[in-house]
Amino acid sequence: RARYLQIVGDETARLERLIGDLLDLARLEGGGGSLTLEAVPVAELFARVAERHERSAHDAQVELRVSVAPGAATLSGDRTRLEQALQNLAANALRYAPAGTAVTLTASREQGTLVLRVCDEGPGIAPDHLPHVFDRFYKADQSRTAQPGGAGGSGLGLSIVKAIVERHGGRISVASRPGHTEFRLEFDAA
């Protein structure tokens, strides 16, 4: 009975996360929910992401690097939503980064645009999957679907990240090859 109760509990938690993700995505894409715009220090965002993932990076033997270039210190946006997007990207990067490699979060200013990057040194995303990574429920790695405890994710994380970036008037893209995957978030510097 204890085993069955554990299964029911795990599945309930998984469904709760899925419903929460769907509601979150619907609000973001539908323009619902207001953004609290403020000047957000990028170093603080990166520090919170690094702190949140410090243990998992250590356990995976992956170095978590952070770099904020001069002129890229502040971003105008909703602190909570921007952190949510970066937390998601960092978690994905750490999931695929092999031991002995690094996950890097960088901020720079390029021709009037503030650019945030989350990079890993993992196996990369196959070219045929790249056009679909931001689609709802899309999973390039189907083996993650059936992980114990529902840890495989819903396939909504990158859709949510894209919606957050677009609600801020930004753009998101991904480039990948074996040994390097880069998610690039671009925001108008103004």
Side-chain angles (χ1 to χ4, degrees):
R1 281 185 235 173
R3 189 182 94 185
Y4 291 124
L5 285 174
Q6 180 65 45
I7 291 169
V8 169
D10 289 347
E11 289 303 305
T12 301
R14 187 181 67 78
L15 286 172
E16 186 178 355
R17 282 191 307 272
L18 177 61
I19 291 167
D21 284 349
L22 282 169
L23 290 171
D24 206 18
L25 186 57
R27 273 191 296 271
L28 286 164
E29 289 182 342
S34 60
L35 296 178
T36 305
L37 300 179
E38 62 181 307
V40 181
V42 175
E44 283 182 21
L45 283 176
F46 284 0
R48 288 185 53 83
V49 171
E51 183 178 300
R52 161 72 174 79
H53 295 287
E54 182 179 17
R55 179 70 182 186
S56 57
H58 179 268
D59 290 348
Q61 300 175 357
V62 173
E63 183 181 355
L64 195 51
R65 299 179 187 150
V66 172
S67 171
V68 178
T74 310
L75 174 60
S76 176
D78 185 298
R79 179 186 309 266
T80 302
R81 289 299 189 175
L82 291 169
E83 182 181 333
Q84 178 184 5
L86 290 170
Q87 293 285 7
N88 185 300
L89 292 173
N92 283 350
L94 284 166
R95 188 175 295 124
Y96 292 102
T101 64
V103 168
T104 308
L105 284 74
T106 61
S108 61
R109 186 177 286 250
E110 298 175 12
Q111 300 171 354
T113 301
L114 182 66
V115 179
L116 306 181
R117 291 183 180 84
V118 178
C119 304
D120 70 70
E121 300 172 11
I125 302 168
D128 53 322
H129 293 291
L130 283 173
H132 307 288
V133 297
F134 298 110
D135 294 349
R136 290 180 184 191
F137 302 110
Y138 189 80
K139 297 179 185 182
D141 180 1
Q142 293 300 320
S143 67
R144 288 181 44 216
T145 305
Q147 288 181 355
S154 63
L156 291 172
L158 291 176
S159 298
I160 292 171
V161 171
K162 182 178 186 238
I164 290 169
V165 171
E166 289 177 350
R167 275 294 301 276
H168 282 83
R171 297 161 302 285
I172 185 169
S173 60
V174 59
S176 188
R177 66 181 188 280
H180 183 80
T181 296
E182 175 182 297
F183 283 87
R184 178 183 171 103
L185 290 67
E186 299 179 36
F187 301 94
D188 291 333

